[in-house]
Amino acid sequence: TEVLLGHDGKTLFIAFRCFDNEPDKIRATIPKRDQIFDDDYVGMFIDTFNDQQRAYAFFFNPFGIQADGTYVEAGGEDYSVDIVMESKGVLTDDGYTVEIAIPFQSLRYEAGKGKKWGIQLYRRVKWNNNELDSWMPDDRSRSGTLNKAGSITGIEGIETKRTLEISPTVTLSQSGRRSRYSFNNDPAG
């Protein structure tokens, strides 16, 4: 498995190239968002504050279908969050490739020179006894997940932007009692 990371100041780009000796066994369907975990998949936790307490969770099946949310060390994953991003995946003769573009505007982070982000990369091979591979070793003698992640640097030349998302809603309520008369005072109703 190869992973490439880069950015252009506005967007974080990630590409996974997954090689497989038996590509016809790769599990890939077109499920709903956040319902990809019966397929083979790749993904990552990105700890943008490098505090080893919380991170973004991004996972993608071989067709690029997304499962995204947040991960809290003390509470696990929450996939109710939908982060604005693009992803595409394709099956190849020797495995599959997934490409992801995450606008920095979709993430919360601290900007500045020399900042480190925690990152842990994963590949799940469902057809091969549910095999799970990770970039950094999973030392089972240490509890936790984010404290075992690696780190990336070089995410510079980006700015922090405040974004505001407005979801207009209307709530109605009515109280009263039913009358046997209609508006035209017809006793038949």
Side-chain angles (χ1 to χ4, degrees):
T1 304
E2 296 175 350
V3 182
L4 300 158
L5 296 163
H7 76 87
D8 66 0
K10 294 183 180 186
T11 305
L12 176 64
F13 299 102
I14 305 111
F16 287 87
R17 179 82 174 102
C18 301
F19 298 97
D20 206 305
N21 292 333
E22 299 182 60
D24 57 319
K25 291 188 176 180
I26 293 171
R27 292 187 189 173
T29 63
I30 309 280
K32 292 182 181 178
R33 185 177 188 150
D34 299 329
Q35 303 296 317
I36 67 165
F37 297 107
D38 288 331
D39 290 344
D40 287 15
Y41 60 86
V42 293
M44 68 204 105
F45 289 138
I46 299 179
D47 180 359
T48 57
F49 290 97
N50 201 32
D51 62 4
Q52 300 179 354
Q53 296 301 309
R54 63 190 181 275
Y56 290 99
F58 298 105
F59 294 93
F60 308 89
N61 83 351
F63 293 130
I65 308 295
Q66 305 165 1
D68 57 332
T70 57
Y71 175 81
V72 177
E73 193 67 59
E77 295 159 294
D78 174 10
Y79 289 102
S80 66
V81 176
D82 288 332
I83 296 164
V84 175
M85 66 178 146
E86 287 186 52
S87 61
K88 296 188 186 327
V90 64
L91 292 172
T92 62
D93 291 338
D94 58 356
Y96 63 96
T97 301
V98 177
E99 296 178 354
I100 304 114
I102 305 169
F104 285 117
Q105 191 172 339
S106 295
L107 305 174
R108 295 186 65 189
Y109 56 90
E110 187 178 0
K113 192 169 181 131
K115 299 291 181 188
K116 274 193 213 180
W117 288 11
I119 189 167
Q120 182 61 294
L121 304 164
Y122 296 99
R123 178 180 178 189
R124 173 75 71 181
V125 185
K126 282 297 222 186
W127 70 266
N128 193 16
N129 294 322
N130 209 25
E131 175 184 326
L132 178 64
D133 303 310
S134 62
W135 174 49
M136 298 301 289
D138 186 7
D139 181 357
R140 294 178 191 248
S141 66
R142 293 172 40 202
S143 64
T145 299
L146 299 177
N147 61 342
K148 300 175 199 171
S151 60
I152 56 173
T153 58
I155 307 211
E156 298 173 2
I158 60 174
E159 296 178 7
T160 308
K161 289 186 179 180
R162 294 242 183 237
T163 57
L164 178 64
E165 185 175 310
I166 299 174
S167 298
T169 57
V170 175
T171 304
L172 298 174
S173 149
Q174 180 180 352
S175 62
R177 61 188 173 118
R178 292 183 68 142
S179 169
R180 68 181 194 132
Y181 292 100
S182 63
F183 289 110
N184 63 0
N185 293 324
D186 180 2

